[in-house]
Amino acid sequence: MAPLVEALQWFIRVAECGSFSAVAREAMTSQVMVGRRISMLEAHFHVVLLRRSTRGLALTEDGVAFLSHARRIVREFEAMEADLHSSERGYAGHVRVGTTNTFGCHLARKLPEFHLHHPGITVEMLLGDGFVHLVEDGLDLAMRTGQVNETTVVAKHLGDVPRYMVASPSYLERCGTPQSVEDLQFHDCALFSYGTTRQVWTINGEPVRVSGSSRTNSTLALQEAVRNGGGISLFAYFQVEDDIRTGRLVRVLPEAEVEPVPFYVTYPARQTLPARTRMVMNWIISEAESLIGKARR
């Protein structure tokens, strides 16, 4: 590995970990060597990248800008290396994927099978239901729900995920079962939210204002609340199909047409994907399309 590229890799990890010692352990070298590589970068580019304080390491303004360039350069270098040597050593390397909690859990169940076929590829998944930044979060791929309008990413539409409106038997016994969409205004709806106060569900092509006593930014926490009588809510069908089958949850207004959620896999624009990343992306696409196709059958 060329010293300059290695220095860029170590700088990226220092920025992510906030620690020379953690990077030294990963690279099986000394903190002194990591520090020398960072100093080499600073001397070469005539910038100060890191500032030390009693609270640890922090990127300077130049360091923040440099980090974005460093990630792009390292990705391009790794892509070139992978493409030139893929015939010799097959697909290998590390891929970081950002995904929603629900789909991430599905992928986690399928990962052992993927590794059987591609033992040289390691997959790191960062799960969360919020917005992820591909470059800032150091991701190779990211799953997105809803429309993708950014010009800095390439987005492949995988399909629209059907959603089910559900509640627990205990809630329906206590509060009654809605007989029409209009009845939802009289029910406690458990809401997925990132701080917004107004909630609108699109049902039968029309906006429906709903409200409730609880809201969360985690679909997994929302599912637990609804399972335990927390109200009526909307979920991707594959998140709750087992609960419906076992009776833990019941579909509400099953004949109503709930607006599905567009689902995308994204990666940084103007970037050559390494062979390993393409392999992981193709696997993710296959799993997503299988789930979405299953709902249509």
Side-chain angles (χ1 to χ4, degrees):
M1 180 69 68
L4 186 60
V5 176
E6 184 178 66
L8 290 172
Q9 290 177 321
W10 289 1
F11 168 71
I12 291 168
R13 290 301 294 143
V14 168
E16 292 170 345
C17 299
S19 167
F20 278 20
S21 59
V23 176
R25 285 193 298 271
E26 288 180 4
M28 291 184 291
T29 187
S30 66
Q31 293 186 52
V32 172
M33 183 59 69
V34 174
R36 285 175 180 171
R37 285 286 192 264
I38 304 301
S39 296
M40 181 185 75
L41 289 176
E42 292 179 323
H44 182 86
F45 292 100
H46 306 289
V47 293
V48 176
L49 300 174
L50 297 167
R51 183 176 294 109
R52 293 178 176 83
S53 71
T54 55
R55 289 180 292 181
L57 295 173
L59 291 175
T60 63
E61 186 175 344
D62 286 334
V64 172
F66 188 86
L67 179 61
S68 177
H69 291 294
R71 281 173 168 155
R72 187 177 68 253
I73 291 168
V74 168
R75 285 196 182 101
E76 290 293 337
F77 182 88
E78 291 176 346
M80 177 183 68
E81 187 178 53
D83 287 342
L84 289 174
H85 300 293
S86 60
S87 60
E88 300 174 9
R89 58 187 178 86
Y91 297 105
H94 189 66
V95 180
R96 286 167 55 88
V97 179
T99 180
T100 62
N101 283 315
T102 304
F103 188 61
C105 288
H106 171 79
L107 291 180
R109 290 190 289 270
K110 301 291 185 175
L111 261 178
E113 181 181 357
F114 175 84
H115 287 314
L116 284 177
H117 297 287
H118 308 287
I121 299 176
T122 58
V123 179
E124 178 182 357
M125 292 195 298
L126 283 74
L127 273 61
D129 292 319
F131 183 84
V132 294
H133 296 271
L134 276 162
V135 175
E136 290 84 345
D137 293 332
L139 300 173
D140 300 295
L141 301 167
M143 309 306 298
R144 295 276 181 83
T145 56
Q147 296 301 321
V148 179
N149 300 315
E150 300 150 87
T151 59
T152 56
V153 304
V154 176
K156 178 175 175 57
H157 183 217
L158 305 181
D160 297 329
V161 180
R163 290 188 293 173
Y164 289 166
M165 188 165 19
V166 298
S168 69
S170 64
Y171 173 83
L172 296 177
E173 182 178 351
R174 186 174 75 251
C175 301
T177 300
Q179 300 302 309
S180 68
V181 174
E182 290 72 22
D183 289 346
L184 291 174
Q185 64 183 307
F186 305 112
H187 280 268
D188 193 3
C189 294
L191 307 174
F192 177 80
S193 172
Y194 270 82
T196 55
T197 56
R198 295 183 178 180
Q199 289 283 322
V200 176
W201 295 347
T202 301
I203 304 174
N204 296 331
E206 298 292 334
V208 178
R209 183 70 56 81
V210 293
S211 61
S213 57
S214 64
R215 61 183 67 209
T216 178
N217 65 353
S218 166
T219 54
L220 297 182
L222 189 65
Q223 185 178 13
E224 288 298 318
V226 174
R227 278 174 177 166
N228 288 278
I232 299 171
S233 196
L234 297 179
F235 295 95
Y237 90 92
F238 58 82
Q239 182 174 354
V240 292
E241 60 179 350
D242 284 343
D243 285 339
I244 293 170
R245 185 169 53 250
T246 58
R248 288 192 295 266
L249 294 175
V250 177
R251 288 192 68 181
V252 174
L253 300 173
E255 300 304 317
E257 295 183 7
V258 178
E259 183 182 39
V261 176
F263 200 42
Y264 296 85
V265 59
T266 66
Y267 58 90
R270 298 181 297 278
Q271 176 178 304
T272 302
L273 289 182
R276 63 179 181 276
T277 305
R278 289 197 300 270
M279 183 63 67
V280 172
M281 183 172 69
N282 290 338
W283 168 64
I284 287 174
I285 290 171
S286 176
E287 290 297 333
E289 291 180 343
S290 176
L291 279 177
I292 295 170
K294 181 181 175 183
R296 301 192 187 106
R297 293 195 290 269

